[in-house]
Amino acid sequence: MTDRYHHGDLRRALIEAAVESIAESGPSALSLRAVAKRAGVSHAAPAHHFGDKAGLLTAVAAEGYDRFADALDHAWKATGDFVEVGVAYVRFAIDNKAYFETMFRPELLHEDDPDLQRAEARSNAALVRGAGEQEPGAAFNPDALGAWSLVHGFAGLLMGGNFPQAVKDDPEAALRQIATRVRFGK
């Protein structure tokens, strides 16, 4: 075992170890035993705090959604521009890949977790704020869903290395250019 964890917030240490592990090999490959070893604690510690792998991944996703909402809120408050919220979305994905990859994998999470649901709702509200109101009785807001699809798809393609070098060199400028050609919101 490593000599990493000494005292304090074991839950925090385990989440940080999980994020490091996810950054290396993705959320599907996460192992509670490897997280424990990375944190320098007994192999039973993650299960004691989170129950199972899905519990730990859910805690990571909830924290990710809160950080995500903070980034989107900051972009909105700083600019009042829906496009800049989309740029913040992509920047978050680039800068927080482990969180981002975990947040959007519901099959790996405890979707009924109240902390996860609260954080998801908070980030969703921050994301769609500039899209305009949903029509009464409508099943969804097409402007919000279209904008989300655009930025999420852009982030995924970018992180997968699927864009030309000019886009990889300045993804924010590329997204701004694309967004000016696509109308979202009222």
Side-chain angles (χ1 to χ4, degrees):
M1 262 193 251
T2 66
D3 203 11
R4 186 168 159 181
Y5 178 78
H6 298 287
H7 58 79
D9 190 349
L10 179 55
R11 185 178 199 284
R12 164 93 336 254
L14 291 167
I15 290 173
E16 288 173 4
V19 169
E20 291 170 5
S21 181
I22 293 165
E24 291 173 4
S25 54
S28 295
L30 185 79
S31 154
L32 292 182
R33 195 173 283 273
V35 167
K37 183 176 182 181
R38 185 181 292 266
V41 297
S42 78
H43 71 276
H48 174 73
H49 280 274
F50 300 102
D52 58 10
K53 175 181 169 176
L56 177 54
L57 288 170
T58 299
V60 169
E63 183 173 293
Y65 276 116
D66 276 330
R67 289 174 177 223
F68 186 50
D70 290 345
L72 300 180
D73 283 341
H74 177 75
W76 181 257
K77 289 174 185 169
T79 67
D81 186 341
F82 190 46
V83 171
E84 292 306 312
V85 173
V87 170
Y89 188 108
V90 171
R91 176 55 45 205
F92 180 88
I94 293 166
D95 293 343
N96 300 277
K97 188 175 179 185
Y99 285 110
F100 192 78
E101 288 181 343
T102 305
M103 291 159 45
F104 296 101
R105 296 290 305 274
E107 76 281 8
L108 300 177
L109 309 174
H110 292 302
E111 290 188 280
D112 59 347
D113 181 83
D115 288 336
L116 178 64
Q117 290 176 344
R118 176 203 47 76
E120 283 178 319
R122 183 173 165 245
S123 70
N124 185 62
L127 178 63
V128 303
R129 177 184 307 126
E133 295 296 316
Q134 182 169 317
E135 297 292 325
F140 62 91
N141 180 332
D143 290 327
L145 189 58
W148 181 32
S149 298
L150 174 72
V151 296
H152 192 83
F154 185 94
L157 289 166
L158 177 68
M159 292 188 318
N162 296 292
F163 285 138
Q165 193 59 47
V167 175
K168 293 176 188 176
D169 290 344
D170 194 351
E172 293 173 356
L175 181 59
R176 285 183 187 103
Q177 186 176 3
I178 292 164
T180 62
R181 295 176 184 255
V182 180
R183 181 194 144 323
F184 291 111
K186 304 291 180 213

